[in-house]
């Protein structure tokens, strides 16, 4: 097991290098000069621009810029954004907010998705099952920003049950509505995945055996059906954490959440290479780690899976 | 499946409601208490400042709004754009070139440091010096010695034109006479800075110390989230705070800010988002303002393109200008949020005239436009396959709609091919203009930095000027402009500026389209909302209810 985990961690190194190189290159290739854009409609003051370009290494060729950036990572100094603030501090501000949002969305989709999926699967073909299937189809079909605006307008503005945007502290309470919107599409997928899986397992031999042994219905469902049905669901949820963190841009925009998505969007528009790359790199690492976690969870859920050679 | 059903029902209801009422009203609220509550903290919309809050380094609205409130310069502008003295006792120059500036006595920064003549001289030298790389350094360019201090790699840190006479007096020598120079002194770049800020700009850019009607609250700048300002009790200028502070909540998205306004979580929204323009008047009742401000929109047509050069190019530009129905676009596309342009400046400015000879070229006249186009064709044939493009940035500002409307008018009225040329970001479109690589026209907006006619003409149309996207060069115009600058008074100068505009109206290096109108709204919790000449709310004047 330990060797396996170590191997997986070593795999992160090429992933990290590849991701940073690629993203840095993409930002570098964005058309337009970010320093000239700082001057807006006004004439570019060449002396000032030259000084700023040198400060952000923008006067260097691409590969030198990239290597300087790598160097800055290994010296734990990620450089500065255009407002002169350390990028490390920026990351420290935005990631906790988005992590809170993503984890809340994940809890929402896991708890409700699995619960509804389980009930729907157990009552296959009944009214509840049908309703759930149609409703989840609608949720999957409607784009997230439409759902976001509708819920914001009705729950936030018309009914006044929640604030339409998130307050400065971005508390858990503030984030309930955005988290539901963010998790809604995945919730529908989790539900459908659980349902299919439950239906499949209900006909499995070991379930029949368990029932025949005279186990209580609760124990059959809980230990034999549910636990086995969770394997594909867990894979999905694990991969989804990364998607939720990176994909929160739209939701964060609608509800004005001061998180990763908002900052990333602004950095892309203004062409702040190091800021974009730093944010994306952390996102990539989160994605890789959550996948590793999923693989480890497999072993726990299904004892047949073993990672040692 | 309770949840999805609810959301589905909400969705259907929302669509019906949106269609039927166009986003009905924002419910009820009674936040404030008695009339004119002086302790109410105003929640306003803001954007994250792009650079540290050092006055001469600020070049965009996000930082500009804050700086105007926490700093007080020699003058500030009243709502109509007239300069009124703040720290200045008097600003005099008989020859419009050698200025003597006297300061009021006993002025202080919020950290207790006294503001003297030396403070101003040091702050301005700091702003201009190349080694400090301040984005707005160019604002000091008229001062003698600027060229030496601002040159790349220069080690000269003081401008020879600035001299301290005594504690409250200093003199400024300009390179050449500029009668409108005092009008600039209310711009953020000219604000005084405490000595500590000049020594450690990094720290002070994060936690600015000023002398304006407000000061930054303790840890008031929460990046990307909000900026909290509290009243400065020691401020005794004309812009005394009438509320308990202003908190600028930072929005990435205007639509979110508008939803916040509807539910009274936001007290004042500076600009109504494009998506709400159709219905904000119904939504807000009488809680909105529409007021022209010192900004305009044009399309610049570069003369370096062969089909737009010479006499034929001039006739074609006139034809394009007369083929645009400005009334229709401002009414239909902007719902009255713009006013058709009648000159190159803006109506709120001192000296503005809507009837400068030649302004007929900006009136819609399809027949005459066709005529002019035919005349141009007689000189130099227009290839019917050429597409007249209007470059614009698609990232913000909602330019697509009017560009499309305008190109359609050109198609119909002139029978030529015309279309918009969108660019993903502002910087991309700007690059083309500054490197003179335009292939057609480009939209250009100008928002005044200080209330002066010259600000709309000199920096854009003078030969070799930095924002001269059209690369317009006309010695006659340059002379008219410099005559205006050396006029003995601002009003004589204005007359000369309008003379210069006569030349522009004939040549049309850019085609004026419309003047900007500020459209904003406020919550039920505040009153006394008014906007300044620059389209920014007068935050200090707003009171709670």
């Amino acid at each position: 097991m330990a060797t396996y985990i170590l191997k997986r961690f070593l795999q992160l190194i090429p992933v990290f290098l590849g991701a940073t190189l690629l993203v840095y290159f993409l930002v570098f290739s964005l058309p337009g000069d970010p320093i000239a854009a700082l001057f807006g409609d006004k004439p570019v003051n060449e002396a000032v621009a030259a000084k700023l370009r040198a400060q952000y290494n923008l006067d260097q060729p691409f590969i030198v810029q990239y290597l300087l950036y790598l160097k800055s990572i290994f010296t734990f100094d990620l450089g500065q954004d255009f407002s002169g603030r350390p990028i490390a501090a920026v990351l420290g501000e935005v990631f906790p907010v988005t992590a809170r949002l993503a984890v809340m969305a994940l809890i929402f989709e896991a708890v409700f998705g699995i619960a509804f999926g389980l009930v729907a699967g157990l009552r296959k073909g009944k009214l509840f099952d049908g309703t759930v299937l149609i409703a989840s189809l609608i949720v999957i079909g409607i784009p997230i920003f439409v759902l976001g605006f509708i819920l914001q307008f009705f729950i936030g503005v018309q009914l006044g049950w929640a604030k339409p945007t998130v307050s400065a502290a971005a508390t858990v309470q503030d984030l309930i509505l955005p988290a539901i919107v963010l998790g809604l599409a995945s919730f529908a997928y989790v539900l459908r995945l659980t349902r299919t899986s439950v239906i499949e397992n209900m006909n499995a031999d070991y379930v029949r055996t368990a029932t025949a042994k005279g186990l209580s219905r609760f124990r059959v469902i809980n230990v034999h059906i549910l636990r086995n049905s969770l394997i594909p669901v867990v894979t999905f949820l694990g991969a989804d954490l990364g998607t939720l963190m990176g994909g929160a841009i739209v939701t964060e925009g609608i509800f004005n959440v001061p998180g990763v998505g908002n900052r990333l969007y602004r950095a892309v528009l203004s062409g702040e290479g190091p800021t974009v790359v730093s944010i994306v790199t952390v996102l990539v690492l989160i994605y890789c780690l959550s996948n590793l976690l999923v693989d480890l969870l497999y072993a726990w859920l299904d004892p047949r899976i073993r990672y040692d050679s | 499946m309770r949840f999805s059903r609810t959301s589905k029902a909400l969705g259907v209801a929302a669509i019906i409601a949106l269609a039927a009422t166009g986003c009905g009203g924002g419910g009820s609220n009674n936040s404030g208490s008695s009339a004119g509550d002086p302790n109410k903290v105003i929640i306003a919309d803001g954007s994250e400042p792009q650079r540290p809050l050092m006055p001469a380094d600020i070049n965009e609205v996000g930082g500009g709004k804050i700086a105007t409130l926490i700093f007080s310069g020699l003058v500030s502008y009243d709502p109509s754009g007239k300069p009124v003295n703040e720290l200045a006792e008097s600003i005099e120059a008989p020859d419009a070139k050698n200025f003597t500036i006297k300061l009021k006595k006993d002025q202080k920064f919020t950290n207790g440091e006294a503001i003297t003549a030396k403070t101003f001289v040091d702050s301005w030298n700091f702003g201009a010096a190349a080694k400090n790389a301040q984005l707005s350094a160019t604002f000091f360019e008229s001062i003698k010695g600027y060229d030496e201090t601002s040159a790349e790699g220069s080690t000269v840190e003081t401008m020879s034109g600035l001299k301290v006479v005594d504690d409250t007096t200093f003199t400024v020598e300009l390179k050449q006479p500029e009668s409108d120079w005092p009008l600039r002194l209310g711009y953020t770049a000219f604000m005084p800075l405490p000595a500590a800020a000049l020594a450690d700009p990094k720290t002070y850019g994060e936690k600015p110390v000023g002398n304006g009607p407000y000061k930054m609250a303790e840890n008031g700048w929460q990046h990307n989230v909000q900026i909290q300002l509290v009243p400065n009790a020691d401020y005794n200028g004309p812009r005394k705070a009438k509320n308990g502070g202003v908190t600028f909540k930072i929005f990435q998205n205007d639509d979110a800010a508008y939803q916040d306004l509807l539910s009274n979580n936001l007290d004042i929204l500076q600009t109504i988002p494009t998506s709400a323009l159709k219905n904000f008047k119904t939504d807000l009742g009488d809680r909105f303002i529409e007021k022209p401000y010192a900004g305009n929109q044009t399309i610049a047509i570069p003369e370096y393109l062969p089909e737009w050069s010479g006499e034929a190019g001039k006739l074609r530009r006139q034809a394009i200008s007369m083929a645009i129905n400005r009334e229709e676009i401002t009414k239909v596309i902007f719902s009255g949020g713009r006013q058709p342009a009648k000159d190159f400046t803006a109506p709120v400015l001192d000296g503005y005239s809507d009837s400068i000879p030649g302004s007929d070229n900006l009136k819609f006249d399809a027949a005459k436009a066709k005529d002019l186009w035919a005349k141009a064709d007689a000189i130099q044939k227009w290839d019917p396959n050429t597409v007249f493009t209007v470059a614009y940035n698609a990232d913000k500002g909602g330019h697509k709609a009017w560009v499309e409307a305008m190109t359609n008018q050109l198609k119909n009225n002139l029978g030529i091919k015309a279309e918009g040329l969108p660019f993903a970001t502002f910087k991309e479109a700007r690059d083309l203009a500054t490197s003179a690589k335009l292939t057609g026209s480009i939209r250009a907006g100008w928002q005044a930095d200080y209330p002066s006619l010259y600000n709309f003409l000199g920096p854009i149309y003078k030969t070799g000027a930095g924002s001269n996207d059209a690369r317009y060069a006309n010695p006659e115009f340059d002379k008219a402009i410099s005559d205006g600058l050396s006029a003995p008074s601002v009003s004589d100068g204005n007359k000369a500026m309008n003379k210069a505009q006569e030349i522009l109206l004939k040549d049309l290096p850019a085609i004026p389209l419309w003047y900007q109108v500020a459209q904003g709204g406020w919550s039920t919790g505040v009153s006394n909302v008014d906007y300044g000449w620059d389209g920014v709310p007068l935050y200090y004047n707003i009171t709670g209810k």
Side-chain angles (χ1 to χ4, degrees):
Chain A
M1 194 67 160
T3 357
Y4 176 75
I5 295 177
L6 186 70
K7 240 192 261 169
R8 287 291 297 262
F9 268 104
L10 286 177
Q11 276 174 13
L12 286 181
I13 297 171
V15 168
F16 168 79
L17 288 175
T20 49
L21 180 67
L22 194 67
V23 177
Y24 210 103
F25 179 71
L26 288 175
V27 179
F28 180 82
S29 338
L30 279 178
D33 174 358
I35 296 295
L38 284 176
F39 290 90
D41 280 327
K42 299 208 188 86
V44 175
N45 183 328
E46 277 310 327
V48 173
K51 192 127 202 286
L52 290 173
R53 276 195 199 105
Q55 189 187 335
Y56 294 102
N57 299 327
L58 291 169
D59 50 350
Q60 307 283 350
F62 166 70
I63 196 70
V64 179
Q65 283 192 35
Y66 175 67
L67 290 176
L68 283 171
Y69 174 72
L70 275 191
K71 184 184 146 215
S72 73
I73 289 183
F74 290 115
T75 52
F76 297 103
D77 165 26
L78 296 177
Q80 294 177 351
D81 68 1
F82 279 171
S83 54
R85 308 187 56 238
I87 291 173
V90 174
L91 295 182
E93 282 160 13
V94 295
F95 268 97
V97 175
T98 300
R100 211 175 314 158
L101 178 66
V103 168
M104 283 174 68
L106 197 70
I107 292 174
F108 159 74
E109 67 185 54
V111 171
F112 287 87
I114 293 172
F116 284 10
L118 178 65
V119 177
L122 293 174
R123 300 189 189 163
K124 186 186 155 203
K126 302 270 170 56
L127 177 68
F128 181 82
D129 185 32
T131 323
V132 160
L133 276 183
I134 293 170
S136 63
L137 201 64
I138 291 172
V139 170
I140 293 172
I142 301 176
I144 190 166
F145 67 92
V146 176
L147 281 173
F149 280 124
I150 289 173
L151 290 182
Q152 180 187 44
F153 183 70
F154 270 88
I155 296 182
V157 180
Q158 293 290 62
L159 298 172
W161 291 349
K163 284 183 193 156
T165 66
V166 166
S167 75
T171 57
V172 170
Q173 200 190 340
D174 287 333
L175 289 172
I176 291 177
L177 192 57
I180 289 176
V181 170
L182 182 61
L184 215 47
S186 299
F187 154 77
Y189 285 118
V190 170
L191 185 156
R192 295 184 142 233
L193 213 53
T194 313
R195 175 185 171 276
T196 321
S197 200
V198 164
I199 291 171
E200 228 172 71
N201 285 324
M202 277 199 316
N203 300 325
D205 292 342
Y206 56 83
V207 173
R208 205 176 324 127
T209 314
T211 318
K213 270 201 314 193
L215 291 184
S216 69
R217 184 165 160 77
F218 176 79
R219 222 180 133 69
V220 171
I221 292 173
N222 215 20
V223 178
H224 296 273
I225 298 181
L226 186 59
R227 193 167 160 184
N228 282 303
S229 306
L230 282 184
I231 296 174
V233 178
V234 166
T235 324
F236 178 83
L237 286 176
D240 207 35
L241 179 66
T243 318
L244 287 176
M245 294 211 53
I249 294 188
V250 176
T251 315
E252 289 189 0
I254 295 172
F255 294 99
N256 204 46
V257 182
V260 172
N262 262 345
R263 190 65 189 86
L264 188 59
Y265 179 68
R266 207 157 64 83
V268 169
L269 280 190
S270 57
E272 291 178 59
T275 314
V276 177
V277 182
S278 303
I279 291 178
V280 174
T281 307
V282 178
L283 286 175
V284 169
L285 290 180
I286 290 175
Y287 199 85
C288 293
L289 289 176
S290 60
N291 270 308
L292 173 60
L293 197 68
V294 168
D295 290 344
L296 296 179
L297 270 177
Y298 271 168
W300 176 75
L301 284 167
D302 187 347
R304 283 171 301 186
I305 302 173
R306 280 288 172 270
Y307 289 122
D308 286 324
S309 45
Chain B
M1 192 57 219
R2 220 177 70 229
F3 190 82
S4 277
R5 270 179 97 165
T6 324
S7 68
K8 176 182 142 195
L10 276 174
V12 173
I15 289 157
I16 294 169
L18 285 169
T21 66
C23 284
S28 62
N29 175 286
N30 300 300
S31 47
S33 46
S34 62
D37 176 6
N39 296 318
K40 160 106 180 157
V41 175
I42 310 295
I43 314 287
D45 68 303
S47 55
E48 173 77 6
Q50 196 177 304
R51 300 278 301 158
L53 284 174
M54 293 293 281
D57 208 10
I58 294 168
N59 188 33
E60 38 79 55
V61 286
K65 274 206 288 211
I66 312 290
T68 318
L69 293 178
I70 58 178
F71 287 100
S72 158
L74 293 169
V75 299
S76 63
Y77 305 114
D78 75 0
S80 67
K82 219 169 81 63
V84 284
N85 285 348
E86 291 234 350
L87 297 189
E89 186 72 55
S90 66
I91 302 170
E92 278 161 7
D95 58 354
K97 187 172 176 225
N98 291 289
F99 287 84
T100 304
I101 297 170
K102 284 194 159 49
L103 300 177
K104 286 179 185 155
K105 284 195 178 71
D106 304 326
Q107 300 296 321
K108 279 185 173 55
F109 287 107
T110 52
N111 66 359
E113 188 184 319
I115 302 171
T116 63
K118 187 174 179 296
T119 314
F120 273 97
V121 170
D122 288 350
S123 306
W124 293 3
N125 279 331
F126 176 89
K131 79 176 215 350
N132 299 320
Q134 303 283 293
L135 284 181
S136 295
T138 330
F139 275 88
F140 301 102
E141 68 183 344
S142 314
I143 300 173
K144 198 175 161 198
Y146 168 81
D147 297 340
E148 291 77 27
T149 27
S150 66
E152 206 170 329
S154 165
T155 48
V156 186
E157 286 179 34
T158 51
M159 290 183 277
S160 56
L162 297 179
K163 285 197 178 70
V164 176
V165 176
D166 58 43
D167 256 8
T168 53
T169 319
F170 67 106
T171 57
V172 183
E173 188 187 345
L174 303 183
K175 288 188 218 157
Q176 67 260 334
E178 288 188 12
S179 58
D180 87 329
W181 191 75
L183 290 180
R184 294 171 208 192
L185 299 175
Y187 187 72
T188 40
F190 293 96
M191 298 297 137
L193 277 165
L198 302 180
D200 184 7
K202 221 176 138 56
T203 310
Y204 276 78
E206 282 280 303
K207 296 186 162 100
V209 169
N211 58 334
Y214 292 89
K215 57 183 177 184
M216 186 80 86
E218 193 74 31
N219 295 321
W221 188 357
Q222 226 184 311
H223 290 274
N224 293 304
V225 178
Q226 62 179 18
I227 298 176
Q228 284 173 293
L229 306 182
V230 292
N232 170 13
D234 296 331
Y235 174 82
N236 48 18
R239 296 179 294 149
K240 190 96 188 140
K242 291 183 182 144
N243 46 49
V246 184
T247 297
F248 288 94
K249 186 169 171 183
I250 291 167
F251 287 95
Q252 304 290 343
N253 171 334
D254 292 345
D255 295 317
Y258 186 70
Q259 303 301 337
D260 251 2
L261 178 71
L262 288 183
S263 45
N264 286 315
N265 283 323
L266 185 72
D267 286 321
I268 172 142
L269 178 62
Q270 182 178 341
T271 309
I272 302 285
T274 326
S275 63
L277 281 182
K278 287 240 158 15
N279 43 44
F280 76 96
K281 291 179 189 172
T282 0
D283 287 354
L284 298 172
D286 57 356
R287 292 178 287 120
F288 72 87
I289 188 169
E290 279 187 323
K291 192 175 172 182
Y293 67 91
N296 65 20
Q297 187 80 248
T298 62
I299 50 169
I301 307 182
E303 276 190 278
Y304 53 76
L305 299 173
E307 62 271 34
W308 296 102
S309 61
E311 186 61 24
K314 189 161 134 185
L315 288 170
R316 283 208 175 97
R317 288 193 297 271
Q318 290 177 2
I320 295 266
S321 174
M322 297 181 95
I324 300 168
N325 188 343
R326 296 171 177 77
E327 292 282 343
E328 190 180 65
I329 295 181
T330 52
K331 225 173 260 157
V332 178
I333 307 278
F334 294 113
S335 328
R338 303 283 188 280
Q339 289 178 351
K342 297 191 166 66
D343 79 332
F344 282 84
T345 66
V348 290
L349 301 172
D350 186 30
Y352 166 81
S353 161
D354 64 357
S355 49
I356 297 171
S359 60
D360 280 354
N361 277 344
L362 308 183
K363 273 193 195 126
F364 175 58
D365 187 340
K368 195 152 175 227
K370 252 198 144 82
D371 214 38
L372 287 166
W373 194 267
K375 262 190 207 158
D377 259 356
I379 302 173
Q380 181 198 10
K381 190 87 185 111
W382 174 266
D383 177 2
N385 290 319
T386 313
V387 181
F388 175 68
T389 54
V390 183
Y392 64 96
N393 57 308
D395 53 350
K396 51 190 157 189
H399 300 301
K400 187 174 192 263
W402 69 258
V403 169
E404 275 180 4
M406 191 177 73
T407 46
N408 276 333
Q409 289 183 345
L410 294 178
K411 272 187 232 166
N412 296 337
N413 297 334
L414 291 176
I416 58 167
K417 287 185 181 165
E419 62 186 33
L421 182 63
F423 285 92
T425 55
F426 177 70
K427 61 181 187 315
E428 214 175 321
R430 282 311 303 163
D431 262 13
L432 283 182
T434 49
S435 56
K437 288 197 183 110
L438 291 168
T439 51
S441 70
I442 183 166
R443 75 121 201 134
W446 191 258
Q447 195 174 335
D449 303 308
Y450 51 94
S452 127
L453 295 181
Y454 172 75
N455 190 231
F456 279 86
L457 305 173
I460 316 175
Y461 305 111
K462 225 163 55 179
T463 309
S467 301
N468 193 338
D469 290 350
R471 295 288 188 272
Y472 177 64
N474 184 344
E476 208 189 327
F477 172 78
D478 292 348
K479 179 165 185 317
I481 284 280
S482 63
D483 282 353
L485 282 179
S486 52
S489 71
V490 173
S491 73
D492 286 336
N494 284 340
K495 276 185 206 129
M497 291 299 164
N498 285 341
K499 276 266 176 252
Q501 282 210 66
E502 288 179 28
I503 303 167
L504 282 189
L505 283 165
K506 249 183 272 150
D507 290 350
L508 294 173
I511 294 170
L513 297 174
W514 30 78
Y515 304 128
Q516 303 282 15
V517 176
Q519 290 171 304
W522 57 92
S523 73
T524 52
V526 295
S527 47
N528 295 321
V529 179
D530 194 9
Y531 276 45
W533 64 279
D534 53 355
V536 178
L538 304 169
Y539 293 107
Y540 57 89
N541 235 350
I542 302 174
T543 55
K545 253 186 189 156

